[in-house]
Amino acid sequence: MTTCLVTDSNKLIPYQGENFFNNTIEANNQLIDNILLGICESNSQIARLFNYPELLVVDTNSKTSYTIIANALRAGINVLTPSLPHFSSEKIQELITIAQEIGVEFGFLPKYSLELPSTHTPIIIDSVRETINLTSTENLLQQIANDLIFLLSPIKSELRKVRVYWLPLYSHPVSTLKLIVDFNDNSLITYQIKNKKETSILKVVLTTEEYDKTFNIFEAQIKPESTKETVMQNVDYFINQRKMLYPAAMALKSKQIIEIIIKKIYS
């Protein structure tokens, strides 16, 4: 399988040192400018620009990534990207629709990856994120969006209701926030994020009729070496399964929840 990476020069480190990709293109390239400026008009031109890959990883800034992804999908290329949390739910849905109409796969590339067990029964996930980086609303929402994609991965049902609780109630920035998200199949996610001075960690307890499992993900463990493993895991999964480990639909659900949070707290 042929693979291609498009990324900004300052984002190359997690991808270096391993032969993940047959072709690497930096985003400050005239060829990419041709896409952004609409000079490459045909799908065949787009595919040729990327050297006809079966899988394209797009890790560029949010101002350029949407256009690159949309054009690649229309050209019949499967796309994997970490950029989805930066898009609105409307933009993510637009990209998912393009992928479905063309018949290609479209997925999210996280900075860490821990495949939660898949189950057909209702699942209850209790989670707490302790972080030292709640310095702004943007940081808060970005952290929640990334965590939710991971937590949503074993749940196949649609959202039913989202409840949001936060402190302090009448001033910002928010120091503690709790979500209760339930689904049509009676699955449930509880998620709390709170400011801590010591360390950043995501604690997850997963419960089904068959088992209980506990996961702890320390932010200090997420280094370029582990990010490389995550990239390799997601690329290999697509090569072997011909589908995405984290489909874009998970990012869409996550963003829908984020937009509910914004509406409840900040409107």
Side-chain angles (χ1 to χ4, degrees), residues 55-71:
L55 177 65
L56 178 69
V57 174
V58 179
D59 188 0
T60 64
N61 67 72
S62 56
K63 294 180 180 179
T64 61
S65 55
Y66 178 86
T67 302
I68 297 170
I69 293 166
N71 279 276

Side-chain angles (χ1 to χ4, degrees), residues 28-260:
N28 58 345
N29 183 302
Q30 182 61 48
L31 298 174
I32 300 301
D33 287 342
N34 289 344
I35 293 178
L36 299 175
L37 295 172
I39 296 174
C40 288
E41 296 181 354
S42 71
N43 291 334
S44 60
Q45 285 180 309
I46 300 292
R48 184 168 61 251
L49 186 152
F50 296 123
N51 199 25
Y52 302 100
E54 293 178 75
L55 177 65
L56 178 69
V57 174
V58 179
D59 188 0
T60 64
N61 67 72
S62 56
K63 294 180 180 179
T64 61
S65 55
Y66 178 86
T67 302
I68 297 170
I69 293 166
N71 279 276
L73 292 172
R74 291 191 184 99
I77 302 171
N78 303 292
V79 176
L80 186 60
T81 180
S83 299
L84 295 183
H86 298 285
F87 302 154
S88 67
S89 61
E90 181 180 4
K91 290 293 186 182
I92 298 173
Q93 183 61 69
E94 288 175 1
L95 294 172
I96 291 173
T97 300
I98 295 171
Q100 291 173 337
E101 290 176 348
I102 300 299
V104 293
E105 294 293 323
F106 178 39
F108 171 69
L109 179 62
K111 66 178 180 179
Y112 61 83
S113 186
L114 180 59
E115 190 175 359
L116 295 178
S118 181
T119 177
H120 296 291
T121 61
I123 183 170
I124 296 175
I125 299 175
D126 295 304
S127 57
V128 176
R129 160 67 72 181
E130 297 178 356
T131 181
I132 57 176
N133 197 31
L134 288 186
T135 56
S136 69
T137 298
E138 183 179 356
N139 287 341
L140 172 76
L141 296 175
Q142 188 68 39
Q143 184 67 72
I144 296 172
N146 282 291
D147 287 342
L148 283 177
I149 295 172
F150 167 68
L151 298 173
L152 287 163
S153 61
I155 297 177
K156 312 305 179 187
S157 183
E158 293 302 313
L159 294 172
R160 183 165 57 192
K161 188 173 182 180
V162 178
R163 283 174 284 176
V164 186
Y165 307 86
W166 67 94
L167 293 172
L169 190 57
Y170 299 111
S171 62
H172 300 298
V174 171
S175 62
T176 300
L177 183 144
K178 183 161 187 175
L179 292 174
I180 300 177
V181 185
D182 67 71
F183 300 82
N184 289 337
D185 69 349
N186 217 35
S187 292
L188 179 73
I189 293 175
T190 66
Y191 173 88
Q192 183 173 356
I193 184 168
K194 52 187 177 181
N195 213 357
K196 288 286 183 179
K197 295 181 179 179
E198 296 82 12
T199 186
S200 291
I201 180 175
L202 176 64
K203 304 175 183 178
V204 181
V205 178
L206 183 151
T207 305
T208 71
E209 292 179 4
E210 296 87 13
Y211 52 74
D212 289 305
K213 291 185 178 293
T214 300
F215 306 90
N216 290 325
I217 302 171
F218 289 90
E219 198 74 18
Q221 296 172 337
I222 304 172
K223 299 177 180 179
E225 294 76 15
S226 60
T227 304
K228 289 179 183 180
E229 293 176 3
T230 299
V231 174
M232 185 167 60
Q233 179 187 17
N234 281 264
V235 171
D236 285 346
Y237 186 89
F238 176 77
I239 291 172
N240 294 323
Q241 303 294 329
R242 307 299 297 186
K243 62 182 181 180
M244 298 297 181
L245 183 56
Y246 296 94
M250 295 177 192
L252 175 61
K253 286 182 181 179
S254 172
K255 199 64 181 187
Q256 288 169 337
I257 294 171
I258 293 298
E259 288 169 358
I260 290 172

